[in-house]
């Protein structure tokens, strides 16, 4: 399945080349922007897929402001390993809810203080090993014959989701260039109405959209995920990183079997 109606950044991670030959298995791990964006048709399409679990990486505030839309015709479980570091989406989603939004000055100060994207990812990795391990654990879990594919998403599906998926793909032996290329696809998927709307939201607060802020809000430069993975390499690699967050060796083996065959 190439997309679900209403989503901008949904895709299967299958078909990526493995270091030892072959390709990652399709129909097991999907990545996406928030499922709040699904149309009625998209919800119906989701009900017919092999997806049985949603891993929602957003913060509680983000989920409350924009709850996922899921089918009522069958059960799709949701796990919520929130990744709070680097939650740019939380600050931006708050802007559309004036009953909870902080003052424009506070939002402006928060956005302007954010680091470069690669540095943001490294900070995310430093504080979120348990949350990323929880995503891997969901991929490893058995669901007793029910649909077992997992879709991972945050708000845009580019930052928290991008790092989570890169870790999983790296841990199962997908070629590094393919991981970087998959990450970079998000910028193309989000270009147009989604990115334009995000930038307009920022500008409506009187905030100048600098090149750095444009990148943080809408782009996925290869250098950012390369920097993040280099940090993981220096820490012993993606597998060791996930195990430092609580993933067991048995679960890691199951993730590898499911994603890489």
């Amino acid at each position: 399945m190439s997309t679900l109606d209403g989503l901008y950044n949904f895709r299967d991670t299958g078909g990526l080349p493995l270091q030892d030959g072959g390709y990652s298995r399709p129909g097991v791990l999907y990545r996406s922007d928030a499922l709040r964006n699904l149309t009625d048709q998209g919800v119906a399409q989701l009900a017919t897929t092999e997806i049985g679990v949603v891993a929602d990486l957003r913060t509680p505030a983000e989920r409350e402001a924009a709850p996922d839309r899921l089918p009522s015709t069958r059960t799709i479980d949701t796990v919520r390993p929130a990744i709070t570091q680097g939650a740019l989406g939380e600050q931006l989603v708050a802007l559309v809810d004036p009953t909870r939004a902080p003052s424009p000055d506070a939002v402006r100060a928060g956005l302007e203080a954010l680091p470069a994207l690669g540095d943001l990812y490294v900070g995310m990795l430093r504080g979120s090993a348990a949350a990323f391990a929880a995503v891997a654990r969901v991929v490893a879990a058995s669901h007793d014959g029910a649909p077992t594919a997992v879709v991972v998403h945050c708000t845009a599906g580019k930052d928290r989701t991008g790092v989570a998926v890169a870790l999983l793909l790296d841990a199962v032996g997908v070629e590094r260039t393919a991981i970087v290329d998959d990450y970079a696809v998000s910028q193309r998927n989000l270009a147009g109405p989604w990115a334009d709307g995000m930038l307009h939201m920022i500008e409506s607060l009187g905030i100048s959209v600098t090149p750095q802020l444009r990148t943080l809000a809408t782009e996925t430069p290869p250098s950012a995920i390369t920097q993040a993975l280099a940090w993981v390499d220096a820490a012993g690699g993606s597998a060791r990183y996930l195990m430092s967050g609580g993933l067991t060796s048995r679960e890691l083996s199951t993730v590898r079997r499911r994603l890489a065959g």
Side-chain angles (χ1 to χ4, degrees), residues 139-158:
V139 177
S142 171
H143 302 282
D144 298 325
T148 59
V150 177
V151 57
V152 181
H153 80 82
C154 48
T155 295
K158 78 180 188 75

Side-chain angles (χ1 to χ4, degrees), residues 48-180:
T48 68
T49 70
E50 61 273 43
I51 293 169
V53 183
V54 174
D56 185 349
L57 306 184
R58 299 176 298 168
T59 64
E62 289 175 277
R63 293 194 296 267
E64 184 179 354
D68 280 344
R69 300 192 67 201
L70 297 176
S72 60
T73 54
R74 73 172 176 88
T75 299
I76 295 180
D77 295 329
T78 300
V79 297
R80 300 177 177 88
I83 298 172
T84 55
Q85 289 82 1
L88 178 63
E90 180 179 15
Q91 295 167 292
L92 296 176
V93 168
L95 303 182
V96 303
D97 185 357
T99 66
R100 285 198 301 271
S103 70
D105 287 343
V107 175
R108 184 181 299 111
L111 291 177
E112 292 176 347
L114 286 169
L117 194 57
D119 294 333
L120 191 74
Y121 292 173
V122 170
M124 191 188 301
L125 287 162
R126 290 184 189 278
S128 301
F132 287 124
V135 177
R137 188 173 296 112
V138 170
V139 177
S142 171
H143 302 282
D144 298 325
T148 59
V150 177
V151 57
V152 181
H153 80 82
C154 48
T155 295
K158 78 180 188 75
D159 298 322
R160 289 164 287 180
T161 297
V163 174
V165 170
L167 284 168
L168 285 167
L169 296 177
D170 195 49
V172 305
V174 172
E175 290 183 0
R176 181 63 61 87
T177 55
I179 295 171
V180 173

